[in-house]
Amino acid sequence: MCGRLSQYRGIHDFVAALSMPGALINNVGDQPLGRYNAAPTMQLALFHVAEDKLHADAVRWGWRPHWATDRAAPINARVEKVAHGPFFRQIWPHRAICPIDNWFEWVDEGGPKKQPYLIKHRNGSPILCASIGQLPGHDRSEHEGFVIITADSEGGMVDTHDRRPVVLAPDLARVWLDPATPKERAEQMALHQGESANSFKWFRVCTAVGNVRNHGPELIEPLVTPP
């Protein structure tokens, strides 16, 4: 999974997709989020559950433990290792959902630059990405941040990349967010119950998305190629 995604709907649209009853503690506002070209280190809307309430907070995309000062903060965590490796041990119990509209991948099609593709749900619904992080209200000695869990892309999504986010259907996303869900159950969900490539569609978009300074809605429009 390359480090670009879109999160442009309003938080209430994402809450509706999650279909989670109960109180919402909304710390991101009611206006459309408007991020068409979000990149690592940006603050993104993130869901987590605390004290039986759904929280929506702006959290930095990327995290590393305090002792890993020799590397940049990763933005993703491999599902095969995340539950048992030392790097993410501290935040593995802190589950979250990053709701997005789409993400981008770049494909080498033989031209001077790689061709960006946009990947979204076939039905246009929000994408609920399994995530973990150092979240608001947790240990303040660590910097807040989160990573998106990724899995093998089944060797075919856009014929491009070997990783993709673990996307959970709403019913599974609610189980993932529930603090009462055992860590072993959460691991099995991430490993085996993410949505398949058949749930998504993809198309070429303008190369302007490669520049993080570009951030308008034109970046998510299909690229019109000459006949």
Side-chain angles (χ1 to χ4, degrees), residues 129-166:
C129 300
S131 305
I132 55 174
Q134 191 68 37
L135 307 174
H138 292 162
D139 182 4
R140 292 292 180 171
S141 67
E142 292 279 357
H143 293 295
E144 291 177 2
F146 78 97
V147 295
I148 294 173
I149 297 176
T150 63
D152 185 274
S153 65
E154 301 177 349
M157 183 169 282
V158 208
D159 294 325
T160 73
H161 214 265
D162 63 346
R163 309 297 298 176
R164 62 187 174 95
V166 172

Side-chain angles (χ1 to χ4, degrees), residues 100-133:
I100 66 174
D101 291 282
N102 56 260
W103 78 92
F104 298 96
E105 296 286 4
W106 275 258
V107 184
D108 186 354
E109 296 184 338
K113 292 184 178 181
K114 289 186 177 182
Q115 173 62 51
Y117 278 74
L118 180 151
I119 304 171
K120 63 187 295 185
H121 265 151
R122 288 188 181 276
N123 64 6
S125 63
I127 297 168
L128 304 174
C129 300
S131 305
I132 55 174

